[in-house]
Amino acid sequence: MDAVMLITRQLEAESQVGRGLVGEITDELWQRAAYPGANPLGFIAWHMVATRDWALHTAIQGVPDVRERAPFASFAVNPAHPPFGMSAADAVAIAAAVTRDGVLAYADAVHTAMMQWLGRLTPEALDREPDLRANASRLPAYQVSGYVAEVEDMAGYPVWALLSAPCFAHQREHVGEIVTGRAALRAT
């Protein structure tokens, strides 16, 4: 079995599903949460892309994320916050700042970067354990307790697990959250 090909196909399919769902979140629902304590759908859309970007670039490679580079560095998709571990108020602010079109453009750029990187990945590299603690601490603004705790939980993951957990399984959870959240919000 070609593990790199399997992971590539899974991530490619998940990108298509996620992109499709983000494109279907209406302006009316973008800043709304499905229930008290839930994150707004627009934040979830951004978070899905930003988490994948982070896992590929910061966690695995220790390099700047797509959102930190041109043309995204000055866009709303590049808030000072890490892609996870921030406060609920920060999540609401991100949903208010990012747009569906901005998130979709960001998603396309992350998908392209991921597919190019996976095209060069060798099966042996899947077992490598990146220095996640060092890679994840490269930005001072990211040193919030929620982020640091989640990084600590993932420390020691090999590349295949970082691709399978935050980039695939975690994404699937949010796909369900968007689908059920939209349905719940439309029913009210």
Side-chain angles (χ1 to χ4, degrees), residues 17-183:
V17 168
R19 190 185 196 293
L21 283 174
V22 169
E24 295 172 4
I25 301 171
T26 64
D27 291 342
E28 175 192 353
L29 300 180
W30 188 260
Q31 292 184 49
R32 293 183 58 201
Y35 55 88
N39 287 315
L41 296 182
F43 170 80
I44 297 166
W46 171 85
H47 164 77
M48 289 172 65
V49 179
T51 298
R52 183 173 275 196
D53 188 12
W54 173 89
L56 175 63
H57 295 100
T58 291
I60 294 173
Q61 299 179 74
V63 300
D65 295 348
V66 166
R67 71 185 179 115
E68 297 173 64
R69 305 178 217 158
F72 300 102
S74 61
F75 288 10
V77 296
N78 187 31
H81 304 287
F84 51 85
M86 78 279 297
S87 71
D90 290 334
V92 168
I94 289 169
V98 298
T99 64
R100 181 179 45 258
D101 288 344
V103 171
L104 289 171
Y106 175 38
D108 290 343
V110 170
H111 177 75
T112 297
M114 180 167 275
M115 292 300 116
Q116 290 172 348
W117 181 80
L118 287 166
R120 298 184 305 271
L121 188 65
T122 64
E124 299 77 31
L126 290 171
D127 289 324
R128 182 179 66 82
E129 287 183 19
D131 187 351
L132 184 57
R133 288 181 186 98
N135 292 351
S137 66
R138 67 181 183 76
L139 294 175
Y142 279 24
Q143 302 316 302
V144 295
S145 61
Y147 172 79
V148 172
E150 290 195 48
V151 165
E152 191 59 36
D153 287 345
M154 291 183 273
Y157 279 19
V159 168
W160 70 264
L162 288 165
L163 293 171
S164 296
C167 292
F168 182 74
H170 181 74
Q171 302 289 315
R172 295 302 295 176
E173 293 174 22
H174 289 304
V175 163
E177 191 175 12
I178 289 174
V179 169
T180 58
R182 280 188 332 196

